[in-house]
Amino acid sequence: MTTVDLADPPVTNPFTGTTDLPRAAEGWTQLVTPDGRLHPDVDVDRDALGRLTRDLYRGMRLARRLDDEAFALQRQGELGLWLQCRGQEAAQVGSVAAVRADDYVFPSYREHAAALWRGIGPADLLRQWRGVAHSGWDPEPYSFHIYTLVLAAQLLHATGYALGVQRDGSDTVVVTYFGDGAASEGDASEAMNIAAVNAAPMVFFCQNNQWAISTPTASQTRTPIHRRGAGFGLRSEWVDGNDVLAVYAVTSAVTEHARAGAGPAIVEATTYRMGGHSTSDDPTRYRTDDELEAWRARDPLARVEALMRAEGWSDETFLGQIQAEADELADRTRRECLALTAPDLADAFATVLSDVPQLLREERDAFVAYRGSFLD
Amino acid sequence: MLTLCQALNSGLRRAMEDDDKVLLMGEDVGRLGGVFRVTDGLQKDFGEARVVDTTLAESGIIGTAIGLALRGYRPVCEIQFDGFVYPAFNQIVSQLAKMRARTGGRTALPVVVRIPVGGGIGAVEHHSESNEAYFAHTAGLRVVYCASPDDAHWMIRQAVAGDDPVIFYEPKRRYWVKGEVTPEDAGPPMPLHRARVVRPGADVTLLTYGGTVATCVAAAEAAAQEGRDIEVIDLRSISPLDVATIEESVRRTGRAVVVHEAPTFAGFGAEVVAQVTSRCFYSLEAPVERVGGFNLPYPPAKVEEEYLPDLDRILDAVDRVLAA
Ligand SMILES: Cc1ncc(C[n+]2csc(CCOP(=O)(O)OP(=O)(O)O)c2C)c(N)n1
Ligand SMILES: [Mg+2]
């Protein structure tokens, strides 16, 4: 049996030194059209670009497979809830691949593709959604904080972390993910303001997937989210979030800008949540099939496949290999999910504070004794 | 002799000297030294990177303190007044308090949140509140109240040195009261979670904390004139609660009154009464009484004397438990 290597693949940045990135008619940065044509102004080393594209594609494909498997596991009753990242793979993989493996990430709750890229495995990604824990992984080895479900709270944690990085004189950059809905929270504005005032080395990465549960972006904000950057004093970028190369190029530019001490940035990646908000949601109550179809035509994976075909970067062997890896990952996801068992509630008492004070000890002991009284 | 305010200042200074990861942050804490001058002179001595005048955003203060703690720092945040902690409530309750449990005990957040608390200083609305019950109800926080300069100095040092988030209440009306601070070489200070018997007695136990500790001691002195021997316990830490000290006292006296400034309805005193009742039931000679604020928004300054527990209301409750 092969094992999928989930470690952050070494990627060389073909865009280093590129200053002007092409824009589409919409106004956002776009390097590859929805039908997979590379913009003629993209003047970088083609071999390097081909290697990068293949790496990114692999990350996106693996993420989609894991996402689909988790969705199926939820439908089969093995997960309590799942929030699909389908449709957002380019925004996530393109951005996380553009930063250094030791740049610290504060995700929201849907960043499975980014997490997988960093090497976080299926068991860790699923345990929270199976209801056996409140968080999935130890952040330290991955430089990837646990998911935050309270919208925008993590933007302040990321900002504080970046202020610490700054005090340490380290060249780490902090990246935080949030949604178009979360952008309306006070914590988002506080975080962007504090980051700008302190020139914190960080990137605010907004995945505008058009919906916050049933509320469209037009009901969240009058001006495009990236335009807020100017008000706060952040460098602002708007990118086609379904174009993985554009996301990669934009994110690496703002990250290196922040690393050089030139201050924080906001990136708005326009993308689409192809699934429901969660497995508990019914998106047919608020959005049209036409809309979904229009975005299906912009599927970020199909775009890369078309590009690779056109550029001669993929062949049957390559695609077959990724397919095999994806199947293996799906198997592993299922296996690891089923192996996740419930914790002992009695152990939770020792995780609240650095010690177990008298009253908490008494509660635990009484609970254990009560539970024990049923055993025979 | 130091005022409680100066004792906090010297405690914070020592904490910063002891550990260069300790940072002070809050609104106007640097150049001004805070509106109560608790951090007076510290920015001058430790620099702007360690005593930080933050932007005016309470959620931002606590949220960024969490991030700094994740990076290895030990932030001490000042909330300017009790009534202004609510914008930070989400970051305190859902993030600061829960991080350790959410990570299965892995991630500690050593963050201290200092809050000048309570009434009795003739302030305008939102500047006199006692909101400890919200935080005591939240697992994962330590909630403590200093009431004397000695405790202020040592408790703040212990709070900063510990690995748990601490809500550190400073009773505003005691800021300017002077007292001795135990010197460095006098042996280890009382642990942060312990209650202190501030006045021993045999007839009734007064259980209190913060601004009403001095009021209870005064009430006990007055009662002594009439031959009543009242014990006063300063709980100091309301979460975790030192039930052993409470239990020992009430079993001995058989009578107890809980006193705090906050409204008694669903106030922290209700928890104390419940603990006393179930632990000391067969020693009790009378129902446990509570004296506290009324179930009203904190009133305007001209009538706060009537709202706050004073010597007479405490003695009235003492009479009731002794009459039973
Ligand atoms: C503070 C807060 N309010 C409400 C919710 C419930 N909630 C969870 S996700 C969500 C929508 C978020 O939309 P967005 O930020 O666009 O992210 P997306 O789900 O689209 O990725 C809501 C309302 C929450 N988790 N936190
Ligand atoms: Mg959204």
PDB file of all heavy atoms in Angstrom, chain A residues 34 64 86-87 89 242 274 294-304:
ATOM      1  N   PRO A  34     -10.911  31.287 -17.355  1.00  0.00           N
ATOM      2  CA  PRO A  34     -11.706  30.140 -16.908  1.00  0.00           C
ATOM      3  C   PRO A  34     -11.613  28.948 -17.858  1.00  0.00           C
ATOM      4  O   PRO A  34     -11.748  27.803 -17.425  1.00  0.00           O
ATOM      5  CB  PRO A  34     -13.125  30.694 -16.855  1.00  0.00           C
ATOM      6  CG  PRO A  34     -12.937  32.149 -16.581  1.00  0.00           C
ATOM      7  CD  PRO A  34     -11.689  32.545 -17.302  1.00  0.00           C
ATOM      8  N   ARG A  64      -9.914  17.891  -2.808  1.00  0.00           N
ATOM      9  CA  ARG A  64     -11.297  17.649  -3.225  1.00  0.00           C
ATOM     10  C   ARG A  64     -11.710  16.209  -2.891  1.00  0.00           C
ATOM     11  O   ARG A  64     -12.833  15.948  -2.474  1.00  0.00           O
ATOM     12  CB  ARG A  64     -11.498  17.926  -4.712  1.00  0.00           C
ATOM     13  CG  ARG A  64     -12.944  17.711  -5.095  1.00  0.00           C
ATOM     14  CD  ARG A  64     -13.354  18.357  -6.365  1.00  0.00           C
ATOM     15  NE  ARG A  64     -13.313  19.817  -6.298  1.00  0.00           N
ATOM     16  CZ  ARG A  64     -13.729  20.600  -7.288  1.00  0.00           C
ATOM     17  NH1 ARG A  64     -14.206  20.065  -8.392  1.00  0.00           N
ATOM     18  NH2 ARG A  64     -13.666  21.910  -7.176  1.00  0.00           N
ATOM     19  N   ARG A  86     -15.292  22.511  -1.256  1.00  0.00           N
ATOM     20  CA  ARG A  86     -15.434  22.342  -2.709  1.00  0.00           C
ATOM     21  C   ARG A  86     -15.651  23.692  -3.387  1.00  0.00           C
ATOM     22  O   ARG A  86     -16.520  24.462  -2.993  1.00  0.00           O
ATOM     23  CB  ARG A  86     -16.608  21.422  -3.016  1.00  0.00           C
ATOM     24  CG  ARG A  86     -16.937  21.293  -4.494  1.00  0.00           C
ATOM     25  CD  ARG A  86     -18.049  20.297  -4.718  1.00  0.00           C
ATOM     26  NE  ARG A  86     -17.507  18.951  -4.795  1.00  0.00           N
ATOM     27  CZ  ARG A  86     -17.265  18.313  -5.938  1.00  0.00           C
ATOM     28  NH1 ARG A  86     -17.505  18.898  -7.089  1.00  0.00           N
ATOM     29  NH2 ARG A  86     -16.776  17.102  -5.923  1.00  0.00           N
ATOM     30  N   GLY A  87     -14.824  23.946  -4.382  1.00  0.00           N
ATOM     31  CA  GLY A  87     -14.911  25.219  -5.099  1.00  0.00           C
ATOM     32  C   GLY A  87     -13.858  26.221  -4.656  1.00  0.00           C
ATOM     33  O   GLY A  87     -13.539  27.156  -5.374  1.00  0.00           O
ATOM     34  N   GLU A  89     -10.720  25.353  -3.571  1.00  0.00           N
ATOM     35  CA  GLU A  89      -9.396  24.719  -3.499  1.00  0.00           C
ATOM     36  C   GLU A  89      -8.296  25.612  -4.052  1.00  0.00           C
ATOM     37  O   GLU A  89      -7.177  25.633  -3.526  1.00  0.00           O
ATOM     38  CB  GLU A  89      -9.401  23.390  -4.265  1.00  0.00           C
ATOM     39  CG  GLU A  89     -10.326  22.324  -3.676  1.00  0.00           C
ATOM     40  CD  GLU A  89     -11.728  22.355  -4.277  1.00  0.00           C
ATOM     41  OE1 GLU A  89     -12.098  23.347  -4.934  1.00  0.00           O
ATOM     42  OE2 GLU A  89     -12.462  21.366  -4.087  1.00  0.00           O
ATOM     43  N   ASN A 242     -10.497  31.562  -8.172  1.00  0.00           N
ATOM     44  CA  ASN A 242     -10.566  30.243  -8.800  1.00  0.00           C
ATOM     45  C   ASN A 242      -9.415  30.026  -9.774  1.00  0.00           C
ATOM     46  O   ASN A 242      -9.403  29.046 -10.506  1.00  0.00           O
ATOM     47  CB  ASN A 242     -11.909  30.052  -9.505  1.00  0.00           C
ATOM     48  CG  ASN A 242     -13.015  29.772  -8.501  1.00  0.00           C
ATOM     49  OD1 ASN A 242     -12.812  29.916  -7.293  1.00  0.00           O
ATOM     50  ND2 ASN A 242     -14.176  29.376  -8.984  1.00  0.00           N
ATOM     51  N   MET A 274     -19.229  25.784  -3.559  1.00  0.00           N
ATOM     52  CA  MET A 274     -20.047  24.943  -4.445  1.00  0.00           C
ATOM     53  C   MET A 274     -21.001  24.033  -3.688  1.00  0.00           C
ATOM     54  O   MET A 274     -22.024  23.600  -4.224  1.00  0.00           O
ATOM     55  CB  MET A 274     -19.151  24.139  -5.385  1.00  0.00           C
ATOM     56  CG  MET A 274     -18.501  25.049  -6.439  1.00  0.00           C
ATOM     57  SD  MET A 274     -17.258  24.241  -7.449  1.00  0.00           S
ATOM     58  CE  MET A 274     -18.266  23.348  -8.604  1.00  0.00           C
ATOM     59  N   ALA A 294     -23.338  28.439 -13.372  1.00  0.00           N
ATOM     60  CA  ALA A 294     -22.379  29.440 -13.848  1.00  0.00           C
ATOM     61  C   ALA A 294     -21.034  29.270 -13.147  1.00  0.00           C
ATOM     62  O   ALA A 294     -19.971  29.387 -13.755  1.00  0.00           O
ATOM     63  CB  ALA A 294     -22.932  30.842 -13.617  1.00  0.00           C
ATOM     64  N   TRP A 295     -21.090  28.959 -11.865  1.00  0.00           N
ATOM     65  CA  TRP A 295     -19.835  28.785 -11.131  1.00  0.00           C
ATOM     66  C   TRP A 295     -19.203  27.421 -11.396  1.00  0.00           C
ATOM     67  O   TRP A 295     -17.984  27.281 -11.319  1.00  0.00           O
ATOM     68  CB  TRP A 295     -20.057  29.019  -9.635  1.00  0.00           C
ATOM     69  CG  TRP A 295     -20.091  30.486  -9.315  1.00  0.00           C
ATOM     70  CD1 TRP A 295     -21.198  31.269  -9.199  1.00  0.00           C
ATOM     71  CD2 TRP A 295     -18.964  31.347  -9.100  1.00  0.00           C
ATOM     72  NE1 TRP A 295     -20.841  32.566  -8.921  1.00  0.00           N
ATOM     73  CE2 TRP A 295     -19.480  32.650  -8.846  1.00  0.00           C
ATOM     74  CE3 TRP A 295     -17.578  31.158  -9.088  1.00  0.00           C
ATOM     75  CZ2 TRP A 295     -18.645  33.741  -8.594  1.00  0.00           C
ATOM     76  CZ3 TRP A 295     -16.752  32.251  -8.827  1.00  0.00           C
ATOM     77  CH2 TRP A 295     -17.285  33.520  -8.591  1.00  0.00           C
ATOM     78  N   ARG A 296     -20.027  26.442 -11.733  1.00  0.00           N
ATOM     79  CA  ARG A 296     -19.455  25.134 -12.088  1.00  0.00           C
ATOM     80  C   ARG A 296     -18.562  25.284 -13.316  1.00  0.00           C
ATOM     81  O   ARG A 296     -17.545  24.619 -13.436  1.00  0.00           O
ATOM     82  CB  ARG A 296     -20.560  24.127 -12.387  1.00  0.00           C
ATOM     83  CG  ARG A 296     -21.080  23.465 -11.142  1.00  0.00           C
ATOM     84  CD  ARG A 296     -21.549  22.025 -11.401  1.00  0.00           C
ATOM     85  NE  ARG A 296     -22.136  21.497 -10.173  1.00  0.00           N
ATOM     86  CZ  ARG A 296     -23.441  21.334  -9.970  1.00  0.00           C
ATOM     87  NH1 ARG A 296     -24.307  21.586 -10.942  1.00  0.00           N
ATOM     88  NH2 ARG A 296     -23.885  20.886  -8.819  1.00  0.00           N
ATOM     89  N   ALA A 297     -18.967  26.205 -14.185  1.00  0.00           N
ATOM     90  CA  ALA A 297     -18.173  26.445 -15.391  1.00  0.00           C
ATOM     91  C   ALA A 297     -16.836  27.106 -15.045  1.00  0.00           C
ATOM     92  O   ALA A 297     -15.942  27.183 -15.885  1.00  0.00           O
ATOM     93  CB  ALA A 297     -18.964  27.324 -16.350  1.00  0.00           C
ATOM     94  N   ARG A 298     -16.729  27.591 -13.830  1.00  0.00           N
ATOM     95  CA  ARG A 298     -15.475  28.215 -13.395  1.00  0.00           C
ATOM     96  C   ARG A 298     -14.754  27.323 -12.383  1.00  0.00           C
ATOM     97  O   ARG A 298     -13.915  27.812 -11.626  1.00  0.00           O
ATOM     98  CB  ARG A 298     -15.784  29.564 -12.748  1.00  0.00           C
ATOM     99  CG  ARG A 298     -16.561  30.518 -13.635  1.00  0.00           C
ATOM    100  CD  ARG A 298     -16.867  31.814 -12.894  1.00  0.00           C
ATOM    101  NE  ARG A 298     -15.641  32.500 -12.531  1.00  0.00           N
ATOM    102  CZ  ARG A 298     -15.040  33.399 -13.297  1.00  0.00           C
ATOM    103  NH1 ARG A 298     -15.571  33.749 -14.445  1.00  0.00           N
ATOM    104  NH2 ARG A 298     -13.932  33.974 -12.907  1.00  0.00           N
ATOM    105  N   ASP A 299     -15.068  26.069 -12.368  1.00  0.00           N
ATOM    106  CA  ASP A 299     -14.457  25.150 -11.396  1.00  0.00           C
ATOM    107  C   ASP A 299     -12.931  25.282 -11.428  1.00  0.00           C
ATOM    108  O   ASP A 299     -12.319  25.167 -12.492  1.00  0.00           O
ATOM    109  CB  ASP A 299     -14.875  23.712 -11.735  1.00  0.00           C
ATOM    110  CG  ASP A 299     -14.380  22.719 -10.678  1.00  0.00           C
ATOM    111  OD1 ASP A 299     -13.171  22.753 -10.343  1.00  0.00           O
ATOM    112  OD2 ASP A 299     -15.194  21.934 -10.177  1.00  0.00           O
ATOM    113  N   PRO A 300     -12.329  25.535 -10.275  1.00  0.00           N
ATOM    114  CA  PRO A 300     -10.883  25.800 -10.253  1.00  0.00           C
ATOM    115  C   PRO A 300     -10.033  24.596 -10.682  1.00  0.00           C
ATOM    116  O   PRO A 300      -8.934  24.784 -11.211  1.00  0.00           O
ATOM    117  CB  PRO A 300     -10.607  26.171  -8.800  1.00  0.00           C
ATOM    118  CG  PRO A 300     -11.763  25.649  -8.020  1.00  0.00           C
ATOM    119  CD  PRO A 300     -12.939  25.665  -8.945  1.00  0.00           C
ATOM    120  N   LEU A 301     -10.526  23.382 -10.464  1.00  0.00           N
ATOM    121  CA  LEU A 301      -9.735  22.219 -10.877  1.00  0.00           C
ATOM    122  C   LEU A 301      -9.776  22.039 -12.388  1.00  0.00           C
ATOM    123  O   LEU A 301      -8.755  21.775 -13.034  1.00  0.00           O
ATOM    124  CB  LEU A 301     -10.227  20.948 -10.174  1.00  0.00           C
ATOM    125  CG  LEU A 301      -9.558  20.687  -8.830  1.00  0.00           C
ATOM    126  CD1 LEU A 301     -10.179  21.543  -7.743  1.00  0.00           C
ATOM    127  CD2 LEU A 301      -9.649  19.220  -8.455  1.00  0.00           C
ATOM    128  N   ALA A 302     -10.983  22.214 -12.961  1.00  0.00           N
ATOM    129  CA  ALA A 302     -11.130  22.067 -14.413  1.00  0.00           C
ATOM    130  C   ALA A 302     -10.237  23.084 -15.128  1.00  0.00           C
ATOM    131  O   ALA A 302      -9.649  22.784 -16.173  1.00  0.00           O
ATOM    132  CB  ALA A 302     -12.588  22.278 -14.802  1.00  0.00           C
ATOM    133  N   ARG A 303     -10.123  24.269 -14.540  1.00  0.00           N
ATOM    134  CA  ARG A 303      -9.299  25.303 -15.162  1.00  0.00           C
ATOM    135  C   ARG A 303      -7.835  24.864 -15.249  1.00  0.00           C
ATOM    136  O   ARG A 303      -7.172  25.015 -16.277  1.00  0.00           O
ATOM    137  CB  ARG A 303      -9.416  26.609 -14.371  1.00  0.00           C
ATOM    138  CG  ARG A 303      -8.796  27.771 -15.117  1.00  0.00           C
ATOM    139  CD  ARG A 303      -8.846  29.075 -14.343  1.00  0.00           C
ATOM    140  NE  ARG A 303     -10.174  29.459 -13.855  1.00  0.00           N
ATOM    141  CZ  ARG A 303     -10.503  30.709 -13.495  1.00  0.00           C
ATOM    142  NH1 ARG A 303      -9.614  31.683 -13.606  1.00  0.00           N
ATOM    143  NH2 ARG A 303     -11.687  30.981 -13.024  1.00  0.00           N
ATOM    144  N   VAL A 304      -7.329  24.293 -14.164  1.00  0.00           N
ATOM    145  CA  VAL A 304      -5.925  23.856 -14.166  1.00  0.00           C
ATOM    146  C   VAL A 304      -5.738  22.680 -15.119  1.00  0.00           C
ATOM    147  O   VAL A 304      -4.727  22.595 -15.822  1.00  0.00           O
ATOM    148  CB  VAL A 304      -5.458  23.457 -12.749  1.00  0.00           C
ATOM    149  CG1 VAL A 304      -3.971  23.142 -12.752  1.00  0.00           C
ATOM    150  CG2 VAL A 304      -5.745  24.559 -11.766  1.00  0.00           C
TER     151      VAL A 304
END
